């Protein structure tokens, strides 16, 4: 009986550790994103529109970090932006084994870039949530939902 009770607790501790690592990666990315924007946008004119900020992120900031621009940007013009990188550099050399395990193993590598995006946006005055997913390696999709300050 004691063995049966200890296994879920051990599993829960492992899950809590994983979540803590993911949170830490996202926070580190957040700080990096803030620093990058502070350094590389100071010589630019102030952005007037959220879409201009997102375009800066897709073209200039993404090039600084990943040596290429975002491949596709979509928006519904209501605060949701979808950034698609078809050849996401951290995934470039990952194995694409069958059975979906490769995609599941690649998910943790998306936390840091999510933090970079969120930190960059925050430093330019945009409060947002960022979610990432990968349906096929080496591609990655980032969804940005802006949060209105008036809410």
């Amino acid at each position: 009986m004691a063995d049966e009770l200890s296994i879920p607790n051990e599993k829960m501790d492992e899950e809590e550790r994983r979540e803590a690592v993911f949170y830490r990666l996202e926070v580190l990315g957040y700080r990096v994103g803030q620093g990058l924007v502070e350094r590389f946008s100071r010589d630019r004119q102030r952005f007037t529109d959220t879409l201009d900020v997102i375009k800066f992120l897709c073209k200039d900031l993404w090039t600084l970090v990943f040596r290429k621009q975002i491949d596709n940007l979509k928006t519904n013009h209501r605060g949701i932006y979808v950034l698609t990188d078809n050849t996401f550099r951290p995934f470039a050399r990952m194995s694409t084994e069958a059975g979906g395990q490769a995609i599941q193993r690649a998910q943790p590598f998306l936390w840091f870039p999510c933090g970079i995006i969120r930190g960059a946006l925050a430093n330019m005055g945009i409060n947002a949530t960022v979610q990432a997913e990968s349906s096929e390696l080496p591609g990655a999709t980032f969804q940005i939902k802006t949060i209105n300050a008036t809410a």
Side-chain angles (χ1 to χ4, degrees):
M1 181 84 171
D3 291 334
E4 291 176 22
L5 294 175
S6 66
I7 292 171
N9 288 340
E10 193 173 291
K11 184 70 173 172
M12 186 64 159
D13 289 342
E14 180 66 29
E15 187 65 29
E16 287 174 358
R17 276 193 291 253
R18 283 177 51 93
E19 290 297 320
V21 168
F22 295 158
Y23 174 76
R24 179 114 170 108
L25 283 171
E26 203 267 346
V27 168
L28 288 170
Y30 184 88
R31 293 186 62 206
V32 168
Q34 283 185 318
L36 286 171
V37 164
E38 195 170 304
R39 179 158 186 192
F40 293 105
S41 69
R42 69 174 156 209
D43 297 333
R44 296 181 167 272
Q45 294 179 1
R46 199 143 207 27
F47 296 107
T48 57
D49 187 19
T50 303
L51 186 58
D52 291 336
V53 171
I54 301 291
K55 286 179 183 177
F56 168 77
L57 190 133
C58 292
K59 292 179 181 177
D60 300 330
L61 192 69
W62 210 256
T63 302
L64 280 169
V65 178
F66 298 110
R67 297 186 186 145
K68 67 180 287 301
Q69 293 183 1
I70 285 284
D71 294 315
N72 195 354
L73 167 64
K74 294 181 182 176
T75 181
N76 67 353
H77 298 286
R78 292 189 203 118
I80 296 178
Y81 303 88
V82 179
L83 286 57
T84 306
D85 191 340
N86 296 325
T87 52
F88 188 53
R89 287 186 65 94
F91 292 170
R93 295 181 181 245
M94 285 190 178
S95 170
T96 55
E97 62 192 47
Q101 289 294 330
I103 293 171
Q104 188 177 5
R105 290 184 180 151
Q107 286 299 118
F109 290 88
L110 295 171
W111 286 93
F112 187 75
C114 282
I116 290 175
I117 294 169
R118 201 170 63 83
L121 292 172
N123 215 15
M124 291 188 279
I126 298 171
N127 193 7
T129 61
V130 181
Q131 295 176 331
E133 64 180 26
S134 179
S135 57
E136 184 177 331
L137 293 180
T141 303
F142 299 88
Q143 183 179 35
I144 301 169
K145 293 181 183 177
T146 58
I147 301 168
N148 293 337
T150 59

